[in-house]
Amino acid sequence: MKKVNGEPNKALKLSMFESMLLIRRFEQRLLELRDQKIARGGVAVSIGQEGIAVGACSAIRREDYITSGHRGHGHALAKGADPVKLLMEFLGRRGGYCHGRGGTMHVCAPEVGLMGTNGIVGAGIPIAVGLGLAAKRTASDRVAVSFFGDGATNTGAFHEALNMASAWKLPVIFICENNLYAISTKISHSTGNDQLWRRGEALGVYSARIDGNAVMDVYEAVRDAACRARAGAGPSFLECMTYRWEGWAWKDRDLGLHYRTMGEILHWQENCPIARLRETLYSEGDLDEEREREIAARIEGQLDNALRLALSSPEPDLADIERDVYA
Amino acid sequence: MTRMTYRQALRQALLEEMMRDERVFLMGQDIAVEGGMWEVTKGLLDLVGPDRILDTPISETAILGAALGAAMAGLRPIVEIMYNDFLPAGMDQLVNQIAKSRYMFGGQISVPMVIRAPCGYGFGLAAAHSQSLEAWFAHLPGLYVVMPATPASAKSLLKSSIRNGNPIVFIEHCLLYNEEGEVPEDQTFVPPLGKASELRSGRDLTLVAWSLMTSRCMEAADTLDAQGVSAAVIDLQTIAPLDIQTIAKSVRQTGRLAIAQQACERFGVGAEIMAQLAEMVGGMLAPPIRIAGKNIPIPFAEVLEQHAIPSVKDIVDASMRLVKGGAGK
């Protein structure tokens, strides 16, 4: 990446701005589609958390691997998956990445290194260790990034995976999106030490807590972690502080006000990752209203087109219902 | 043909396939320096080097998950789990990830991996080290379950499993590791999975077995023969997918079926065989029977342990009752 005065350049920031906006609008539209009963399934959105997906995926290469959890639409889009094929998948259509077999929690796009989002909390973390192991064994300089929430850090899979990656110095970057709640359970109720990054440190993994809503901070931390990983220095664990604006998923359309307050939600909405980057771009003279309108219009056009194509994609072929159980 | 043990046959299969395909590598607990709890991988570290045989932490979830990731990335991992009883410690990876990834991701990826795990009993290790859990794994669409009974099939089926391209639970038997037999020298012999083998033909009844129970049925068939009863013996070799046609063909000839399984009786592979046969073969001379492990956790004391699992005598006695009338128990 070219740098200007030690900072990644304007084009990178603009592209991250557009990518975050695409994720936000994609997911807002997906929620509308669910409310209209056009989309079904979990539909766990990452609105408010886009800075982590975009900062991280902008700092790695197309051929690098990622795995994700149930809140993975943003990671897929940030890694470069096609919004059309994603939307087709999320609407259960034949043209989707997985031909309508996986849906919103289980999407895979190997062509861009997305090796699966995952419906089981924590399960994608050891899979990323294996992707990193393969990279090391084949002497490629790929890295594997695993995205997961704070809830996943209480699973055995998390601890086993970080420990193994540490023992074998694997090129894996573990990214925890700490949005403070596992469904309704507040982090202070689920652990005696909410400094989650220290769990990585305890296992000998380079670990840090960063502001997940500062997309440039995420970008730089992941860029450095990827450099270390490619140099053979082993894994990193980044605890990225963030907040989900919407409810947890399908049964939580009331914003989760039975376990958190409107005041808390509004506080975090003022700390929006997109608004913060927008402010930087405006203050540095890299964005103005006209340019912003162009970007927004481009995204809406892209999503209009995606929805039109998705709705015109046929339902999965019943003749294929037993295909691909085995290779 | 070369005479060797089941253990040696497995080791030879691993080594031949690692020499043939550099994508193949091994990972498991104490398999490199120690050579494995059952010494199947003993000596391989010196032959293939530390990059291709990895001692892992005691982390079944991470071992299975990492193998899945490596398989998705194009490698061919072979995992050793010390006892099949320890697979439940990594069951989410097996059930929700390994078995389902190919289908759920629309066939975009494949999962070419082998999970070697012995079953068995007889060492006084009690309930959590003495189970036969094949029915758990066979229940999952997406997995193959392979259980060799002889040194020859141990070698050929392991080679086939490594080359197969699907996730395979390959269950060895710890009481068979020292058993000797003739093994073909042909390194290219890789029979298709999913085929049962009729080891012995017979007129009066069909004995179906797998793993350790296959040799017990062969021994029982000798005893039965001396008493004027002719028993066919079918070794399943692959549990899933099940080769019901080979069983049905034999049962149509003998009219009687006895299934010998080490696993406890309820909801087992024997039950599945009976159900499938009931849908395709009518007019049996007697209702089919299962000679199975008792529906208990395997106990520690030797006398209890031995009585929890069918013996050769149990198979002979049940077969005689089946043939002479008064079938069932």
Side-chain angles (χ1 to χ4, degrees):
Chain A
M1 187 57 61
K2 283 183 189 166
K3 290 185 179 183
V4 179
N5 300 328
E7 287 291 320
N9 62 22
K10 161 185 160 177
L12 170 69
K13 286 182 186 168
L14 277 171
S15 111
M16 293 202 297
F17 177 73
E18 183 161 347
S19 182
M20 286 193 289
L21 207 54
L22 174 69
I23 294 169
R24 173 146 319 167
R25 289 297 300 133
F26 182 98
E27 290 197 310
Q28 285 173 336
R29 285 183 172 221
L30 194 59
L31 285 178
E32 290 166 20
L33 291 167
R34 186 186 58 182
D35 290 344
Q36 295 161 18
K37 313 252 186 253
I38 295 171
R40 66 199 298 262
V43 194
V45 297
S46 63
I47 293 166
Q49 307 184 180
E50 300 91 341
I52 302 164
V54 170
C57 290
S58 302
I60 58 173
R61 304 171 186 160
R62 184 183 171 93
E63 67 268 23
D64 290 328
Y65 298 117
I66 68 167
T67 68
S68 176
H70 61 291
R71 200 175 300 287
H73 312 149
H75 307 129
L77 285 164
K79 193 67 176 58
D82 178 1
V84 177
K85 287 171 78 175
L86 284 177
L87 195 56
M88 285 175 174
E89 185 60 34
F90 301 163
L91 299 187
R93 301 305 172 113
R94 195 182 302 182
Y97 272 109
C98 311
H99 315 305
R101 305 254 187 80
T104 84
M105 290 198 296
H106 318 94
V107 68
C108 180
E111 64 201 41
V112 295
L114 171 62
M115 303 307 275
T117 64
N118 204 306
I120 301 292
V121 170
I125 310 174
I127 297 171
V129 171
L131 294 162
L133 175 63
K136 184 170 179 174
R137 270 223 55 222
T138 56
S140 96
D141 70 346
R142 284 175 166 173
V143 301
V145 175
S146 187
F147 295 98
F148 48 89
D150 46 287
T153 66
N154 292 325
T155 66
F158 165 84
H159 293 269
E160 291 189 12
L162 263 73
N163 183 61
M164 185 180 275
S166 174
W168 294 350
K169 287 210 171 350
L170 298 179
V172 187
I173 304 167
F174 301 98
I175 299 185
C176 174
E177 301 178 327
N178 184 354
N179 65 20
L180 310 178
Y181 293 87
I183 307 186
S184 67
T185 305
K186 197 167 186 167
I187 193 156
S188 56
H189 289 274
S190 60
T191 177
N193 182 356
D194 65 6
Q195 299 283 313
L196 300 180
W197 65 282
R198 290 199 177 276
R199 298 181 180 194
E201 189 185 58
L203 295 168
V205 176
Y206 174 92
S207 300
R209 173 182 267 194
I210 60 175
D211 180 350
N213 286 4
V215 65
M216 287 308 302
D217 289 5
V218 176
Y219 172 85
E220 285 169 11
V222 175
R223 179 196 62 198
D224 294 349
C227 278
R228 285 192 299 275
R230 294 190 215 282
S236 301
F237 174 48
L238 301 172
E239 180 192 8
C240 304
M241 304 308 293
T242 190
Y243 197 79
R244 74 172 141 74
W245 294 7
E246 294 289 330
W248 157 69
W250 59 276
K251 69 181 283 284
D252 206 7
R253 286 296 271 140
D254 66 347
L255 303 179
L257 291 175
H258 53 296
Y259 55 80
R260 58 186 191 173
T261 64
M262 202 60 204
E264 183 179 277
I265 296 171
L266 291 171
H267 166 75
W268 279 92
Q269 287 184 346
E270 284 168 20
N271 182 17
C272 170
I274 302 176
R276 285 172 65 183
L277 181 61
R278 177 178 179 273
E279 200 172 305
T280 306
L281 286 165
Y282 267 87
S283 71
E284 291 173 356
D286 295 331
L287 186 66
D288 54 29
E289 284 178 13
E290 189 188 342
R291 188 95 192 255
E292 191 180 356
R293 271 197 302 275
E294 275 172 29
I295 292 171
R298 186 159 61 237
I299 287 171
E300 297 310 316
Q302 197 180 355
L303 293 176
D304 286 343
N305 186 49
L307 182 58
R308 188 178 52 76
L309 290 171
L311 291 173
S312 67
S313 176
E315 304 233 55
D317 188 346
L318 283 177
D320 288 340
I321 195 168
E322 293 184 30
R323 203 184 67 189
D324 299 323
V325 177
Y326 293 99
Chain B
M1 294 289 230
T2 310
R3 194 157 182 84
M4 66 179 75
T5 64
Y6 187 88
R7 173 186 291 110
Q8 287 167 329
L10 292 164
R11 186 185 302 142
Q12 208 172 70
L14 292 172
L15 187 58
E16 284 177 15
E17 292 307 300
M18 290 182 88
M19 292 297 144
R20 178 183 168 271
D21 183 347
E22 64 178 18
R23 297 171 300 175
V24 178
F25 73 102
L26 311 179
M27 54 194 290
Q29 293 161 24
D30 300 295
I31 63 169
V33 175
E34 176 79 12
M37 178 59 68
W38 303 98
E39 303 191 345
V40 172
T41 55
K42 198 160 187 133
L44 290 183
L45 177 60
D46 291 336
L47 296 172
V48 303
D51 288 345
R52 295 185 72 189
I53 178 164
L54 308 178
D55 277 330
T56 65
I58 302 175
S59 303
E60 279 77 8
T61 294
I63 295 165
L64 292 168
L68 169 58
M72 287 171 72
L75 298 182
R76 299 207 161 220
I78 302 173
V79 164
E80 177 174 312
I81 299 291
M82 206 175 276
Y83 296 81
N84 80 152
D85 315 67
F86 299 174
L87 272 166
M91 207 62 170
D92 169 62
Q93 287 295 330
L94 185 62
V95 173
N96 289 316
Q97 316 302 329
I98 291 167
K100 294 177 174 50
S101 286
R102 179 174 173 80
Y103 183 84
M104 197 146 60
F105 294 150
Q108 294 180 94
I109 53 115
S110 57
V111 183
M113 63 182 280
V114 179
I115 301 162
R116 296 179 38 245
C119 69
Y121 75 104
F123 295 89
L125 299 175
H129 289 67
S130 309
Q131 300 162 90
S132 292
L133 295 177
E134 64 271 20
W136 289 28
F137 314 126
H139 186 64
L140 295 165
L143 295 182
Y144 274 69
V145 180
V146 178
M147 294 181 79
T150 65
S153 64
K155 182 176 175 187
S156 62
L157 294 173
L158 183 52
K159 286 170 70 86
S160 299
S161 297
I162 295 166
R163 296 190 197 184
N164 179 274
N166 288 291
I168 289 165
V169 181
F170 189 92
I171 304 178
E172 300 160 10
H173 200 295
C174 58
L175 288 178
L176 292 176
Y177 282 126
N178 290 327
E179 290 297 306
E180 286 192 3
E182 299 294 326
V183 175
E185 274 153 32
D186 181 6
Q187 293 197 10
T188 63
F189 180 57
V190 280
L193 299 179
K195 295 284 177 204
S197 168
E198 189 178 62
L199 297 182
R200 177 178 180 133
S201 59
R203 292 182 312 276
D204 299 324
L205 83 156
T206 300
L207 285 167
V208 173
W210 55 98
S211 193
L212 177 69
M213 288 297 136
T214 296
S215 52
R216 293 205 171 159
C217 283
M218 289 297 280
E219 207 178 321
D222 283 340
T223 307
L224 289 165
D225 198 46
Q227 297 177 33
V229 171
S230 164
V233 177
I234 291 174
D235 175 25
L236 281 188
Q237 302 193 113
T238 303
I239 307 301
L242 181 67
D243 180 6
I244 198 69
Q245 296 300 342
T246 296
I247 301 170
K249 188 177 166 206
S250 175
V251 171
R252 285 192 184 104
Q253 289 164 3
T254 63
R256 298 182 186 90
L257 170 67
I259 301 161
Q261 76 177 32
Q262 178 186 319
C264 65
E265 184 179 61
R266 62 196 218 175
F267 300 93
V269 174
E272 176 68 19
I273 294 170
M274 281 196 185
Q276 291 196 30
L277 269 188
E279 291 170 350
M280 49 194 299
V281 178
M284 281 193 231
L285 298 172
I289 61 168
R290 283 172 292 175
I291 309 153
K294 289 189 167 38
N295 289 319
I296 55 172
I298 304 297
F300 166 74
E302 191 164 8
V303 62
L304 298 176
E305 185 179 21
Q306 294 303 328
H307 279 81
I309 308 289
S311 64
V312 173
K313 184 173 184 303
D314 292 334
I315 298 169
V316 171
D317 292 350
S319 299
M320 287 303 289
R321 284 198 300 276
L322 178 66
V323 173
K324 302 293 180 193
K329 294 172 196 163

